[in-house]
Each structure stands twice: as structure tokens, then as C-alpha cells.
């Protein structure tokens, strides 16, 4: 199963989507109506690249993540809601 299929499968019910995927300079995180309290960006080895403790400005249910300074590769977004539920999604950064 490729990352795009995994994202579609894991996120339709969870209400989170990432686009564009793969990303170059930015990726949009769309959380829908979820009540997110924190989110982390992890690299492929699990190292935390960014940690946001809300309230983060999810204007209209979206957040723009700057990926311009990230190295090309795979990353994971880990979101936690107010009830402690964890939602995980993958994306890829490709700089051309």
C-alpha cells in the first residue's frame, strides 16, 4: 500500500487530510471538525521536527505547514485531540 492510499484509508474517518502530497514548500493540514490539542511533525526516524501545542491557528479547519526548510523525504504528522486520541498521517517532501 503506498502512502497516498494509506492516507486516504486512515484519514477519511478521522477527518484529517494533507495536501499537496508530495509537498515542496508547504503542506496544508485539514482537520475538519476535530478538536486538536497538539500536533507533531516527525521525520522518518521518529525525531520530532516540530511540536505545536494549540491553540494553533487552524483557520477554517486548516493549517499551513512550511516545508521549505525540510529535507526531501517522508514525514509523519501526529495529532492528538482533547480526549487523548491520536491520529497519524504521512506525507512526503520533494524539493525539485
Amino acid at each position: 500500500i503506498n502512502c497516498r492510499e494509506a492516507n486516504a484509508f486512515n484519514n477519511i474517518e478521522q477527518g484529517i487530510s494533507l495536501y499537496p502530497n508530495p509537498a515542496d514548500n508547504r503542506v496544508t493540514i485539514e482537520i475538519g471538525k476535530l478538536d486538536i490539542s497538539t500536533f507533531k511533525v516527525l521525520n522518518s526516524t521518529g525525531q520530532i521536527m516540530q511540536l505545536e501545542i494549540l491553540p494553533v491557528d487552524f483557520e477554517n479547519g486548516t493549517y499551513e505547514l512550511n516545508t521549505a526548510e525540510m529535507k526531501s523525504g517522508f514525514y509523519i504528522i501526529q495529532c492528538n485531540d482533547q480526549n487523548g486520541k491520536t491520529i497519524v498521517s504521512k506525507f512526503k517532501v520533494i524539493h525539485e
Side-chain angles (χ1 to χ4, degrees):
I1 189 166
N2 70 37
C3 289
R4 187 162 294 197
E5 290 171 345
N7 275 346
F9 177 77
N10 289 332
N11 298 328
I12 288 173
E13 290 183 22
Q14 303 299 333
I16 184 173
S17 61
L18 305 173
Y19 56 88
N21 193 4
D24 183 12
N25 293 316
R26 66 165 180 79
V27 65
T28 300
I29 304 166
E30 188 173 300
I31 62 168
K33 296 182 181 183
L34 294 173
D35 193 9
I36 301 296
S37 61
T38 63
F39 79 87
K40 297 176 190 177
V41 179
L42 302 112
N43 65 15
S44 59
T45 63
Q47 179 183 15
I48 297 174
M49 306 300 294
Q50 182 174 342
L51 171 63
E52 297 288 342
I53 300 173
L54 300 193
V56 169
D57 186 17
F58 273 99
E59 185 176 323
N60 297 319
T62 63
Y63 179 78
E64 296 287 323
L65 177 66
N66 183 351
T67 58
E69 301 299 318
M70 295 176 152
K71 293 181 180 180
S72 293
F74 289 97
Y75 293 87
I76 297 167
I77 297 282
Q78 179 181 327
C79 297
N80 296 310
D81 69 11
Q82 298 290 344
N83 300 319
K85 182 178 178 183
T86 301
I87 302 162
V88 176
S89 190
K90 301 173 199 164
F91 70 99
K92 185 175 183 177
V93 173
I94 299 177
H95 298 295
E96 309 222 3

